[in-house]
Amino acid sequence: MLPGKKGWATIKITVFFLSLMPFGLLVKGVINDELGANPIETLHFGFGDWALRFLCIGLALTPIKTITGQSWPIRFRRMMGLFAFFYASLHLLVFIVLDLSLSWEAFKDEVPKSPYILMGLLTFLLLVPLAATSTKKMQKRLGRNWLKLQRLVYVAGLTALVHFFWLVKSDYTEPLIYATVISILLGIRIAVYCRRTAKLFSL
Amino acid sequence: MLIKTKSNILSSEITDRAVFESRREFIKAATIFSAGIMLPSSGHAETGKYADVPIGPYSAKLPVTGREDVTSYTNYYEFSSNKKDSTVLARALKTTPWSVEVAGEVEKPGVYNLEDILKDNPVQERTYRFRCVEAWSMVVPWIGFPLGEMLKRFKPTSKAKFVEFTTLNNPEIMVGQRSGVLDWPYVEGLRMDEAMHPLTMMVTGMYGDELPNQNGAPLRLIVPWKYGFKSIKAIVKIRFIENMPETAWHKSAPGEYGFYANVNPEVSHPRWSQSRERVLGSSIFTPKRDTEKFNGYGAEVAALYSDMDLKKYF
């Protein structure tokens, strides 16, 4: 049996606080100086990892709905997407404030020399309109275009992967894991789309 | 011989000692408490095997990075590409007995016991800045001897133009070698004049004690004006050769890691800038420091490359 209105509210609040945990743990790590020899890197990579993880979770919800036939996963889609944006913002913030120490000089020198940083910035820019139009109000106002716009998340998933692949020195294990997950999640969508189109034409 | 001490590093570039040490205050206190030993301000143990080693020439007067940081943040792909995992996995390595094979264009080839090598080469302590190609740096009180002194004893012939070093190949212990991340075993090399340069060190210890496994025990190279990946760890073979050796990172990505790998803020890595470096152990609000050409050892080594285009021979 599915939970009622109150039940869902409780579950949502629980998921919300669980999603904040990585943030809490990393901040605690900074305060207690537990982030190792290169705390900025730990913080920076930590936020980046979680941005990618929430992006994957967000992308998994529609396929779960398709496969199980249950509609409840969609209730969490906005929250997961916004958490991906939240962690991506922190990832960028650590880069600008701590890694570059807010130095425009350093930004001008380091960013153009780094294709992977440029790809990261592009990914963030792709996420901004998605977060900005995540409210119910915006959804209504944009009508059918809203869904089209939100599909930018597929592109963001791919640019995030490229960002990760380009920064790695030689061991591609981690980005390969994310690439596999994202390929499956986008692959299911393609399969569903193909089947629908095929059905449409056979009618 | 003129004994020089490095002093061409501006005081403004040195992390303020108060800032530098505050982060480690707690850990230091905990260490003193648990180990029951006093640590001097530089943070090294005075009870270790090499506690009374004399300070050698070229030793920099810089605030030393905390031992805890240096021993928990190591690039040792033979064990793992993760800097923390490699420090733990490296514990499995057995470093005694250890021998080094000397081969190639040399009058006295053979297999030498590390103990015998150490008998012939008295150790000294030298504090050098260590700059990784990943744009971070640390300052480490290494213990070892000049590589050139050791190489001379093997009597290289006139055909010896390069020295090639090889790391132990043992996938059973070095679990990272089971993956194809690099072409094992790890190989590095130096031009003969670089190898004979008095700054170049063979290292067997640090912080007044023996080298921890994760930092390259029992024998590693330190070439302070080059990126860290040149400073090969756990050396089992030294070969004198006529032609430039093919080295591990160069083989894996020739466009990104050159044979020379001299620290140079003017030549960026194809994927990131080399102008600045994060100094390990500094506060999270400390800006990165500007990287110096040849890692600050230009006065000593720039002449080795005077006729070379460093952008081409990166």
Side-chain angles (χ1 to χ4, degrees):
Chain A
M1 207 191 96
L2 284 169
K5 213 175 175 187
K6 261 193 175 165
W8 278 117
T10 318
I11 292 171
K12 269 197 165 177
I13 289 169
T14 314
V15 171
F16 178 83
F17 282 104
L18 275 175
S19 305
L20 271 179
M21 278 222 352
F23 170 74
L25 288 173
L26 284 164
V27 170
K28 179 181 158 278
V30 173
I31 294 165
N32 297 343
D33 192 14
E34 295 164 340
L35 298 186
N38 196 344
I40 295 177
E41 184 187 71
T42 311
L43 207 57
H44 187 44
F45 287 3
F47 288 145
D49 282 342
W50 282 103
L52 199 48
R53 283 168 199 158
F54 277 102
L55 201 67
C56 290
I57 297 171
L59 283 172
L61 298 174
T62 302
I64 292 175
K65 181 195 150 204
T66 314
I67 291 164
T68 62
Q70 305 264 347
S71 66
W72 63 262
I74 304 309
R75 290 170 184 267
F76 297 93
R77 210 165 50 173
R78 174 186 293 136
M79 201 205 294
M80 294 299 105
L82 284 173
F83 266 112
F85 181 69
F86 171 68
Y87 282 106
S89 308
L90 289 169
H91 179 61
L92 178 62
L93 205 68
V94 169
F95 174 62
I96 303 284
V97 177
L98 299 181
D99 192 61
L100 297 181
S101 303
L102 289 171
S103 154
W104 176 239
E105 251 341 277
F107 186 91
K108 266 195 313 193
D109 171 68
E110 294 188 29
V111 174
K113 286 177 184 169
S114 265
Y116 76 84
I117 298 177
L118 290 168
M119 196 50 86
L121 288 175
L122 173 67
T123 307
F124 184 76
L125 289 178
L126 287 170
L127 292 177
V128 171
L130 305 192
T133 59
S134 65
T135 58
K136 279 219 172 88
K137 223 178 175 181
M138 285 305 281
Q139 192 173 355
K140 266 196 194 134
R141 196 195 280 181
L142 290 172
R144 296 176 81 187
N145 289 327
W146 185 84
L147 203 64
K148 278 187 194 161
L149 179 71
Q150 292 289 329
R151 283 197 180 124
L152 270 179
V153 73
Y154 306 150
V155 184
L158 295 175
T159 56
L161 281 179
V162 175
H163 168 61
F164 202 168
F165 271 101
W166 281 357
L167 76 89
V168 162
K169 243 170 86 197
S170 165
D171 186 351
Y172 292 101
T173 317
E174 268 191 71
L176 272 173
I177 294 170
Y178 288 105
T180 311
V181 170
I182 290 179
S183 305
I184 293 170
L185 297 177
L186 295 185
I188 293 173
R189 287 176 169 83
I190 294 169
V192 168
Y193 178 81
C194 288
R195 225 167 55 181
R196 270 192 205 144
T197 323
K199 257 190 197 162
L200 213 65
F201 280 100
S202 68
L203 274 172
Chain B
M1 192 190 130
L2 182 72
I3 295 187
K4 288 187 279 185
T5 342
K6 272 208 57 65
S7 58
N8 57 343
I9 290 163
L10 298 172
S11 61
S12 61
E13 289 176 1
I14 300 174
T15 311
D16 183 70
R17 187 170 275 262
V19 172
F20 171 79
E21 282 176 346
S22 62
R23 220 175 71 79
R24 291 288 140 200
E25 216 88 311
F26 172 76
I27 289 167
K28 207 189 266 178
T31 316
I32 294 168
F33 182 75
S34 57
I37 50 160
M38 282 303 293
L39 299 177
S41 58
S42 65
H44 46 290
E46 293 288 297
T47 49
K49 185 184 173 187
Y50 297 123
D52 303 316
V53 161
I55 308 286
Y58 301 105
S59 191
K61 289 188 180 68
L62 291 170
V64 167
T65 306
R67 187 181 192 280
E68 174 64 27
D69 287 340
V70 177
T71 53
S72 65
Y73 194 78
T74 54
N75 268 327
Y76 207 162
Y77 279 51
E78 277 79 350
F79 292 98
S80 167
S81 62
N82 179 300
K83 293 184 181 66
K84 230 180 174 135
D85 294 347
S86 65
T87 68
V88 179
L89 291 167
R91 285 181 201 151
L93 183 68
K94 213 172 140 265
T95 57
T96 45
W98 194 273
S99 56
V100 179
E101 185 191 340
V102 176
E105 307 294 344
V106 68
E107 279 175 33
K108 293 164 81 179
V111 177
Y112 293 83
N113 280 328
L114 181 58
E115 285 165 44
D116 297 331
I117 293 174
L118 284 171
K119 257 178 231 158
D120 291 338
N121 297 280
V123 295
Q124 47 181 252
E125 179 179 283
R126 287 188 193 181
T127 298
Y128 283 161
R129 191 190 299 281
F130 181 94
R131 168 63 156 83
C132 180
V133 74
E134 294 168 2
W136 51 265
S137 70
M138 53 197 190
V139 178
V140 185
W142 301 111
I143 286 158
F145 47 86
L147 172 70
E149 300 291 317
M150 173 174 102
L151 296 187
K152 269 186 232 159
R153 288 179 224 278
F154 304 134
K155 297 205 187 301
T157 70
S158 59
K159 273 188 170 173
K161 300 281 186 274
F162 292 89
V163 193
E164 178 197 79
F165 304 87
T166 309
T167 296
L168 177 71
N169 191 37
N170 185 353
E172 225 163 90
I173 303 287
M174 297 180 140
V175 289
Q177 288 177 336
R178 294 176 198 172
S179 82
V181 173
L182 289 172
D183 194 1
W184 310 111
Y186 197 93
V187 170
E188 256 310 333
L190 294 171
R191 214 168 57 187
M192 208 59 189
D193 56 347
E194 297 174 324
M196 301 310 284
H197 194 280
L199 271 173
T200 309
M201 269 179 105
M202 263 294 146
V203 165
T204 58
M206 63 183 209
Y207 295 89
D209 210 341
E210 282 179 314
L211 211 51
N213 281 358
Q214 66 267 33
N215 294 90
L219 190 69
R220 72 168 299 170
L221 186 68
I222 283 293
V223 196
W225 71 93
K226 292 177 183 286
Y227 292 121
F229 69 86
K230 292 297 289 183
S231 294
I232 182 169
K233 294 167 167 172
I235 298 166
V236 291
K237 190 172 177 184
I238 299 175
R239 199 160 68 100
F240 295 84
I241 48 180
E242 217 177 331
N243 299 311
M244 186 182 282
E246 177 64 292
T247 52
W249 276 102
H250 180 257
K251 211 184 212 175
S252 121
E256 301 194 345
Y257 312 98
F259 172 81
Y260 289 96
N262 293 318
V263 175
N264 192 344
E266 294 150 30
V267 180
S268 48
H269 184 280
R271 291 185 284 142
W272 59 82
S273 165
Q274 294 291 20
S275 327
R276 283 168 209 82
E277 67 207 36
R278 164 80 45 218
V279 180
L280 297 190
S282 53
S283 119
I284 59 166
F285 298 110
T286 309
K288 289 183 273 193
R289 78 183 281 276
D290 289 337
T291 292
E292 293 173 78
K293 202 168 182 176
F294 298 113
N295 202 21
Y297 300 94
E300 291 86 1
V301 301
L304 299 179
Y305 313 99
S306 54
D307 57 344
M308 283 169 62
D309 177 2
L310 296 175
K311 279 204 163 67
K312 192 175 167 205
Y313 299 100
F314 55 87

